[in-house]
Amino acid sequence: DEWGNLFEQVKGSLFHTMLDPDLSTLSGQVIRRFWSCRTEGVSTGTLDASKKPLLQALEEFYGKQSQRPLIDEARFLDFLGSSSEDSAMAKIEIGSALEAFKEVLPQLYRGSGLHRLR
């Protein structure tokens, strides 16, 4: 499972740079390639491994505590929404991450546009 190991090594950086205005397009493309891989073990494994870094990205983005420039919300929502359309498994996993974010940080969720993805 070399692809899964590779994703484990880079996932933190990928989700961190996904929020960067200059790097988000490329980072998002790489994440989606892993998530939509035709090899089911790779796609399922990387979707599962993405839960924590995705939640961290949601918290950084909506927590408004970041000291660095971030992408705008429309771009972030587009990434999440279009990624959810890539596969049924992606829709389930992203939905699960959004639900966890809603439960853990309800005030941040209410102030976001994430409800539009449901």
Side-chain angles (χ1 to χ4, degrees):
D1 187 87
E2 291 180 42
W3 288 112
N5 291 335
L6 175 63
F7 187 78
E8 281 295 327
Q9 293 174 20
V10 299
K11 68 182 180 184
S13 296
L14 285 172
F15 281 92
H16 181 76
T17 57
M18 184 186 67
L19 298 178
D20 183 285
D22 296 325
L23 302 171
S24 64
T25 300
L26 182 57
S27 297
Q29 289 171 345
V30 172
I31 292 167
R32 287 181 72 184
R33 289 293 287 159
F34 276 104
W35 286 356
S36 62
C37 181
R38 290 183 185 166
T39 304
E40 188 176 337
V42 173
S43 61
T44 305
T46 56
L47 276 162
D48 188 52
S50 296
K51 289 178 185 176
K52 184 176 179 180
L54 179 55
L55 284 171
Q56 290 170 334
L58 288 164
E59 186 173 355
E60 178 182 1
F61 187 82
Y62 289 108
K64 310 286 189 218
Q65 308 266 332
S66 184
Q67 301 299 312
R68 64 188 180 116
L70 300 176
I71 59 174
D72 61 31
E73 185 179 33
R75 198 163 165 187
F76 194 32
L77 293 174
D78 181 59
F79 167 78
L80 294 170
S82 58
S83 296
S84 292
E85 294 171 2
D86 286 344
S87 71
M89 191 62 165
K91 185 173 184 127
I92 290 167
E93 293 297 338
I94 292 169
S96 174
L98 297 180
E99 195 61 37
F101 182 70
K102 181 180 177 181
E103 289 176 19
V104 173
L105 297 164
Q107 291 176 326
L108 293 182
Y109 182 88
R110 280 193 299 275
S112 75
L114 292 170
H115 62 279
R116 290 181 279 201
L117 297 176
R118 303 262 117 202

